[in-house]
Amino acid sequence: MKAIAKTALPDLFAALKGRVYVPVREGKGYGFALWQGQDWPADYQNTIVPPKQILFPQTEDLYTFRVEGEDITIDPAAPPEEPSFIFGLRPCDYRAIELLDLVFRQGPYLDASYSKRRDNTFLMVLGCKEGLPTCFCTSFGLEPAFAPGADWNMWDLGEILVVEPGTDKGKELLEGLGLFREATEEEKSQVEKLREEAKATITLHAPTEGITELLQENFDHPLWDEVARKCLECGACTYLCPTCHCYDMQSSSVLGQGRRFRCWDSCMYCNYTLMAGGHNPRPSKRERVRNRFLHKLQYYPENQGEFGCVGCGRCLQHCPVHMDISRFMAQAKEVMAK
Amino acid sequence: MTNELIPQIAKVVAVRKETPDVKTFTIRGEKGLPFTYMPGQCAMVSLPSVGEAMFSITSSPTQADMEFSIKRVGLLTEALHKLAPGQAVGVRGPYGNGFPVEMLKGKDLLFIGGGIGLAPLRSLINYCLDNRADYGQVDIIYGARSPQDLVFTDELFERWPKIEGVQVRTTVDVGDETWNGPVGVVTKLLEELNPDPQGRIAITCGPPIMIKFVLLTLAKLGYSDDQIITTLEKRMKCGIGKCGRCNIGGKYICVDGPVFTLAQLRELPDEL
């Protein structure tokens, strides 16, 4: 374990060779943005938009094209070569990136641009001292102040930031920077204490045990109608979800010249599955809400062997009508037949 | 790492009008065939300013060229229908599992197609007929709304019936003065033909309502769920199991399908 004074963070950010993303105040909340000399925020708990946007941008060019007479030329876009550092992401969002890895970097096809960005990105996790009322990460086996496997785990001890590398590249990076001193025994025990105390601050719990099997048996349960009724289909839950990976591909062009890009999409939208002939396999919000919840709680476990939810609480916190996956899980346990 | 979402450029080398709203496009890449594929696999075809969509490859890999039979139903297909030979298009693939050609070896085959649903079946039919020794009796039952809506008429009426061990029966919902064949739904022909389920696999593709009644009739004729194969379509964007939308339950139709046995479909939630 190493330590650095928080007043030295600008020196650290300046020493990191690449794009450094830090949490910055954005309206009423926080978001990750490039560090441009600003101060480290004193009070952020988590960002509104998850840091997945750095690895999987909200819109991303795939190629530019030119149509001239009978001919088409295509010029592929390339993700940046420069390394990125996401400094201060929370353990839930780190875990979410591991889950995105299972989608984008596994299976018969790899996602080329995600993989490229991921290889070039250092994930420096900051442990949570205190959860929000909407946090339920512990329900999915996460620890609020520690992310196993992250390049760095960091803890805020007031004046001091303590850092523990968790990967070879994280270790190499830390040793190459001369800005750190060894952490004292006192600091190490403060970290232990912080980790323990953080766990107790997570007070929302969602029942995960047996939920996948229960949902497999209850695809047509009337609870789905009840749960879906108040949804406005605004899609905020899916845009703010750190594990949602669905995307659309679209073109924009003027007089045969343009670009093809991909952008985040949402399974909550009515035309998401609408086919050219007019058939829609998920015609109402009952099917769409069901798809979102089942993707997290049934399909992800079936395909990836892990829950697709990390309990970050963003979809609860920001839903205009208080849709709540944790509450749904409790309801399902109560009313769905075994 | 190459980006799977970026197409290669191919040229339309021939356009054949099948029906008032179906055309078959032959496309060729810079080095001939854009990529190798198996019957039942699909590809993303694109016009960069308009869009991109998944189509079944209707040619057989035993043929020299790649063909797509495309029905005009939306924005992209409308634009594709305006293409003339020489025009470039984007193409990427192949995607999907394709038909189980090894499992079908030694079996009698019963194809039941409706409308444009014959397009994916045609790939397998020609593959089996070009590897004639590997497959048994081939029965093809095909139906369309009217005589002018029949696709692949050269093969239906000329090429296929002349091959030994092949029987083709074609019907239309509504006849006209040119038509002296059967009138009615495919299930009527299917019941008349009553092919013995022993050693036979039924492969069907067509409009959902046709599939529904074909499945009921096949069950009545004694076919088990693992003797029935179909191929599905869904809205798709990536084709590689990442973008989300084509799932039925936990299965992505683009990579886990589009070909499923009825037994496999029964394991999935009812969200066709």
Side-chain angles (χ1 to χ4, degrees):
Chain A
M1 260 181 215
K2 303 249 183 188
I4 187 170
K6 276 159 78 179
T7 51
L9 285 179
D11 301 333
L12 171 61
F13 298 153
L16 295 172
K17 289 184 177 58
R19 296 157 182 242
V20 181
Y21 293 89
V22 294
V24 294
R25 183 123 206 137
E26 210 176 49
K28 287 181 179 170
Y30 287 93
F32 277 94
L34 279 176
W35 180 72
Q36 288 165 320
Q38 67 270 39
D39 286 337
W40 179 252
D43 62 342
Y44 93 101
Q45 282 182 291
N46 208 351
T47 54
I48 294 175
V49 178
K52 79 168 177 190
Q53 61 163 342
I54 298 160
L55 298 165
F56 173 42
Q58 189 167 353
T59 63
E60 176 180 31
D61 280 359
L62 297 167
Y63 52 89
T64 54
F65 59 83
R66 183 196 291 263
V67 182
E68 274 171 314
E70 292 184 336
D71 297 318
I72 300 171
T73 45
I74 275 180
D75 188 15
E81 297 285 341
E82 203 184 357
S84 292
F85 301 85
I86 306 179
F87 192 92
L89 79 160
R90 296 300 187 175
C92 54
D93 289 340
Y94 172 76
R95 173 63 183 155
I97 290 170
E98 287 186 332
L99 295 174
L100 289 177
D101 289 347
L102 297 180
V103 173
F104 287 138
R105 310 190 74 180
Q106 252 190 202
Y109 302 94
L110 303 185
D111 189 288
S113 59
Y114 177 90
S115 301
K116 178 86 181 285
R117 286 191 162 88
R118 181 75 169 88
D119 284 337
N120 282 341
T121 301
F122 283 81
L123 299 173
M124 298 136 129
V125 175
L126 182 63
C128 294
K129 283 186 187 171
E130 191 179 1
L132 291 163
T134 45
C135 288
F136 57 112
C137 60
T138 52
S139 298
F140 292 102
L142 276 68
E143 196 189 311
F146 180 61
D151 294 315
W152 285 9
N153 269 277
M154 310 188 290
W155 297 273
D156 183 347
L157 301 182
E159 311 277 291
I160 299 291
L161 212 57
V162 173
V163 179
E164 168 88 330
T167 62
D168 287 344
K169 73 171 186 178
K171 203 169 172 184
E172 209 171 292
L173 176 70
L174 187 61
E175 280 164 6
L177 293 160
L179 300 158
F180 292 80
R181 61 166 170 79
E182 286 300 321
T184 63
E185 289 308 310
E186 168 61 18
E187 285 161 347
K188 286 180 191 172
S189 63
Q190 275 181 277
V191 167
E192 289 308 308
K193 193 163 159 256
L194 186 156
R195 280 178 61 176
E196 266 324 295
E197 286 175 358
K199 288 180 197 169
T201 70
I202 306 295
T203 51
L204 180 62
H205 301 289
T208 52
E209 204 194 321
I211 192 92
T212 301
E213 296 72 17
L214 187 67
L215 293 171
Q216 282 167 341
E217 299 300 315
N218 285 280
F219 189 74
D220 287 313
H221 197 281
L223 179 61
W224 290 117
D225 297 280
E226 196 190 316
V227 167
R229 204 175 299 136
K230 67 178 175 180
C231 175
L232 303 176
E233 302 188 87
C234 70
C237 49
T238 49
Y239 282 95
L240 301 182
C241 176
T243 70
C244 272
H245 58 79
C246 291
Y247 60 82
D248 192 3
M249 290 164 62
Q250 291 290 343
S251 299
S252 86
S253 68
V254 177
L255 300 174
Q257 268 197 69
R259 63 193 187 104
R260 182 122 179 115
F261 58 95
R262 70 167 168 189
C263 54
W264 293 354
D265 202 354
S266 172
C267 61
M268 301 313 301
Y269 295 158
C270 58
N271 60 1
Y272 177 73
T273 49
L274 179 65
M275 293 164 70
H279 176 64
N280 194 342
R282 292 200 277 268
S284 78
K285 59 185 181 182
R286 173 180 180 267
E287 291 83 31
R288 300 193 274 272
V289 167
R290 179 172 64 187
N291 184 69
R292 181 169 78 87
F293 284 173
L294 289 185
H295 192 196
K296 306 297 177 202
L297 302 172
Q298 179 189 330
Y299 307 154
Y300 231 97
E302 285 172 354
N303 292 333
Q304 273 81 28
E306 307 283 349
F307 282 111
C309 175
V310 295
C312 73
R314 287 184 178 91
C315 60
L316 288 56
Q317 201 183 353
H318 299 286
C319 176
V321 294
H322 306 291
M323 296 279 284
D324 180 342
I325 193 172
S326 74
R327 194 162 148 263
F328 163 75
M329 290 162 76
Q331 277 178 299
K333 284 282 228 185
E334 212 176 291
V335 304
M336 283 183 174
K338 298 224 165 43
Chain B
M1 191 189 299
T2 59
N3 191 337
E4 189 61 39
L5 301 177
I6 298 174
Q8 60 170 294
I9 301 303
K11 286 261 176 187
V12 173
V13 295
V15 181
R16 186 170 70 238
K17 191 170 176 180
E18 301 281 352
T19 77
D21 59 4
V22 176
K23 282 182 176 178
T24 296
F25 300 87
T26 307
I27 69 158
R28 211 172 279 166
E30 252 172 45
K31 295 169 195 146
L33 207 59
F35 41 79
T36 57
Y37 60 95
M38 289 304 282
Q41 285 194 301
C42 302
M44 281 283 181
V45 178
S46 54
L47 287 171
S49 320
V50 187
E52 182 176 57
M54 191 74 103
F55 297 97
S56 67
I57 305 170
T58 193
S59 50
S60 158
T62 50
Q63 288 171 238
D65 274 318
M66 181 177 284
E67 293 174 338
F68 296 91
S69 291
I70 294 174
K71 183 168 171 168
R72 202 178 66 232
V73 289
L75 266 179
L76 176 65
T77 52
E78 180 83 46
L80 287 170
H81 268 245
K82 292 187 180 132
L83 298 186
Q87 174 66 51
V89 293
V91 63
R92 57 190 180 90
Y95 298 123
N97 55 359
F99 290 108
V101 290
E102 288 303 312
M103 183 275 262
L104 295 175
K105 274 187 183 167
K107 301 277 196 330
D108 293 330
L109 305 176
L110 168 62
F111 292 94
I112 307 153
I116 190 64
L118 190 59
L121 300 185
R122 175 179 177 250
S123 178
L124 179 61
I125 292 170
N126 282 326
Y127 180 87
C128 294
L129 297 181
D130 289 340
N131 293 286
R132 193 68 198 94
D134 291 338
Y135 302 93
Q137 169 77 26
V138 172
D139 287 296
I140 300 162
I141 298 176
Y142 177 57
R145 285 170 300 181
S146 74
Q148 64 163 0
D149 289 307
L150 296 165
V151 295
F152 315 130
T153 46
D154 282 354
E155 283 160 313
L156 280 172
F157 299 118
E158 302 296 328
R159 191 171 106 76
W160 292 339
K162 292 191 181 122
I163 298 169
E164 205 188 318
V166 179
Q167 195 178 177
V168 183
R169 310 278 304 269
T170 305
T171 184
V172 294
D173 292 345
V174 183
D176 61 18
E177 64 283 358
T178 67
W179 184 253
N180 47 26
V183 173
V185 290
V186 290
T187 43
K188 200 172 130 195
L189 288 189
L190 178 57
E191 287 195 45
E192 280 168 22
L193 190 68
N194 191 9
D196 184 358
Q198 183 66 39
R200 197 182 308 269
I201 302 285
I203 304 117
T204 184
C205 185
I209 189 74
M210 183 206 89
I211 303 266
K212 188 179 161 188
F213 285 101
V214 164
L215 297 182
L216 289 171
T217 307
L218 287 171
K220 205 162 83 182
L221 300 179
Y223 286 77
S224 67
D225 289 352
D226 51 16
Q227 276 177 289
I228 302 171
I229 292 174
T230 190
T231 173
L232 303 179
E233 60 174 355
K234 286 274 176 229
R235 186 171 196 182
M236 296 176 186
K237 289 286 180 173
C238 72
I240 58 174
K242 317 285 185 207
C243 83
R245 75 205 69 229
C246 73
N247 69 305
I248 300 178
K251 298 281 183 211
Y252 286 111
I253 304 312
C254 64
V255 290
D256 300 312
V259 175
F260 293 93
T261 64
L262 183 55
Q264 289 167 329
L265 286 183
R266 294 219 195 274
E267 296 287 308
L268 297 178
D270 184 15
E271 215 171 61
L272 293 178

